[in-house]
Amino acid sequence: MNVLKIGGFEILPGEQRKINLPVAKLYTDANVSLPIHIIRAKKPGPTIFVSAAVHGDELNGIEIIRRLIHENKFKIIKGTVIAVPMVNVYGVVNQSRYMPDRRDLNRCFPGSAKGSLAGRVAHIFLSEIVKHCDYGIDLHTGAIHRSNLPQIRADMSDLDTKELAEVFGVPVVLNSNLVDGSLREAAVKNETKILLYEAGEALRFDEFSIRAGMKGILNVLQYLGMTRKTPVSRKKKIAPFIANGSQWVRANASGIVHNIVNLGDQITKGQILAEIGSPYGEVIDAVKATRSGILIGKQNIPLVQEGEAMFHVAYFSEDDEEIAERIETVQEQLLPESDNV
Ligand SMILES: [Zn+2]
């Protein structure tokens, strides 16, 4: 019998379980644990983890996992799904990106059992969850007061990972190198194929990002044969646009921001993206695009200081107009008119 062991728990094929995996207590003597859903089909198949809130203030993924678990469509016919809605559970409690020791958990992998608090959580997550997994999807959002257009970041030089990134089905994919100490790097060392989904803003639920993330995860599960194929999913997949690179456009003046562009917009070199005004109301500077591309990230506070990153623009070999149209189509499909108010 193929028993899956996580912490002290044993989960059999055909079982669906919720478990709490203990991590370090708070100094108030309160226990802290990682909430984990495990869904196992009777039939053997791939094991995949879906994780959220590795950065504790990135909440969209928590909602993505909640909806998936409670959705009728989410019937696993083969293999195992391990969903971890809050990896940096301390950060979630504090509504903070970081661990209480001020470390970024996503720079502390692989960690160790005797290391820092962040290192211990990284070690537990890696040795109890990632170790079992052939695949992983790690859900993120932009930083606080920054929004990202739904996008996949993955190592596109690995052909299996590239295939998964394409199957996920968001229009924009960024080929991104592995960062030292990241969950992605540790997963790759474990030979787990991993995608990072970036969408929306920290401390907010964003409906488009949630729906695009859910759909992407379901697409991957279907592709891996873990859920039944629907008639729609049998249609030929539409290849995403893979960015050649991206760059942040920074403010050259300090002041009050009037945004002119939105996420997903086509940007042409020299175009005014925002105006910066003084407290007296006059325009003191215009923020201009340095290259043509698609707007994939932006800061949301309408106040800016010189040098601050304001707009994240991705560059492509394909026609930007076509990409912007695709993004709009996906948005319309996921957010029906009545919801889009
Ligand atoms: Zn993040």
Side-chain angles (χ1 to χ4, degrees):
M1 183 69 80
N2 175 13
V3 179
L4 175 66
K5 288 185 185 164
I6 297 179
F9 305 92
E10 295 192 340
I11 305 104
L12 299 171
E15 271 195 290
Q16 172 154 1
R17 291 268 293 277
K18 281 183 278 185
I19 63 169
N20 290 304
L21 188 63
V23 284
K25 275 188 170 193
L26 297 183
Y27 37 59
T28 56
D29 198 40
N31 290 320
V32 179
S33 56
L34 306 187
I36 300 169
H37 298 274
I38 301 145
I39 305 153
R40 301 199 70 192
K42 286 209 175 83
K43 273 195 198 167
T47 300
I48 183 168
F49 75 83
V50 181
S51 55
V54 165
H55 292 130
D57 60 355
E58 300 182 0
L59 309 179
N60 263 340
I62 298 175
E63 176 64 5
I64 291 173
I65 290 175
R66 186 194 72 79
R67 289 198 201 174
L68 281 175
I69 300 284
H70 292 279
E71 223 185 53
N72 285 336
K73 277 189 278 177
F74 198 64
K75 290 267 188 301
I76 306 301
I77 55 167
K78 198 167 94 177
T80 302
V81 175
I82 307 175
V84 187
M86 302 171 184
V87 181
N88 177 0
V89 69
Y90 304 93
V92 175
V93 168
N94 294 320
Q95 300 181 5
S96 161
R97 176 181 179 87
Y98 299 103
M99 294 284 295
D101 61 6
R102 300 185 191 181
R103 284 181 168 87
D104 180 338
L105 180 58
N106 212 19
R107 298 290 178 273
C108 295
F109 283 88
S112 75
K114 296 283 174 209
S116 66
L117 176 60
R120 289 175 192 217
V121 172
H123 172 74
I124 289 173
F125 187 67
L126 205 57
S127 57
E128 297 289 354
I129 309 292
V130 181
K131 187 184 83 181
H132 303 292
C133 295
D134 310 295
Y135 303 97
I137 301 174
D138 189 27
L139 307 171
H140 286 255
T141 74
I144 190 162
H145 304 306
R146 286 178 192 278
S147 295
N148 282 333
L149 180 79
Q151 57 197 263
I152 284 288
R153 296 186 185 176
D155 173 14
M156 300 297 274
S157 65
D158 180 86
L159 291 181
D160 293 336
T161 309
K162 182 169 182 271
E163 182 76 23
L164 283 187
E166 289 173 356
V167 164
F168 194 93
V170 289
V172 171
V173 172
L174 261 71
N175 181 21
S176 90
N177 295 330
L178 296 172
V179 178
D180 279 353
S182 64
L183 166 58
R184 215 151 60 88
E185 185 196 53
V188 167
K189 280 194 182 138
N190 187 60
E191 293 186 0
T192 305
K193 307 289 178 191
I194 182 165
L195 298 180
L196 192 147
Y197 176 63
E198 274 279 358
E201 180 184 359
L203 297 174
R204 299 282 184 274
F205 281 169
D206 174 68
E207 193 57 30
F208 176 42
S209 303
I210 290 167
R211 292 189 190 192
M214 286 176 67
K215 189 157 181 284
I217 294 166
L218 291 171
N219 287 344
V220 168
L221 293 177
Q222 254 170 20
Y223 168 77
L224 297 174
M226 297 175 71
T227 55
R228 244 179 263 288
K229 284 197 163 45
T230 60
V232 179
S233 66
R234 287 203 189 90
K235 276 187 200 160
K236 204 173 164 290
K237 69 171 196 267
I238 302 165
F241 299 98
I242 301 162
N244 296 328
S246 68
Q247 206 169 40
W248 279 91
V249 179
R250 293 178 184 276
N252 286 323
S254 305
I256 324 281
V257 179
H258 290 278
N259 254 333
I260 294 166
V261 286
N262 293 309
L263 287 182
D265 282 359
Q266 177 191 357
I267 303 296
T268 40
K269 186 178 174 180
Q271 181 186 344
I272 296 175
L273 307 177
E275 285 178 341
I276 299 177
S278 78
Y280 308 102
E282 64 260 342
V283 174
I284 49 179
D285 199 19
V287 183
K288 289 185 182 157
T290 47
R291 272 178 75 171
S292 297
I294 297 290
L295 187 66
I296 60 161
K298 69 184 208 13
Q299 88 137 18
N300 294 326
I301 300 186
L303 304 170
V304 75
Q305 257 172 332
E306 195 182 310
E308 252 180 86
M310 294 181 71
F311 298 100
H312 194 193
V313 182
Y315 315 121
F316 299 84
S317 311
E318 294 88 349
D319 179 22
D320 291 335
E321 197 177 326
E322 195 188 329
I323 302 173
E325 272 170 22
R326 170 88 63 82
I327 293 165
E328 210 178 313
T329 308
V330 171
Q331 204 154 9
E332 279 165 8
Q333 282 167 354
L334 288 175
L335 290 180
E337 201 66 46
S338 56
D339 291 15
N340 199 358
V341 281

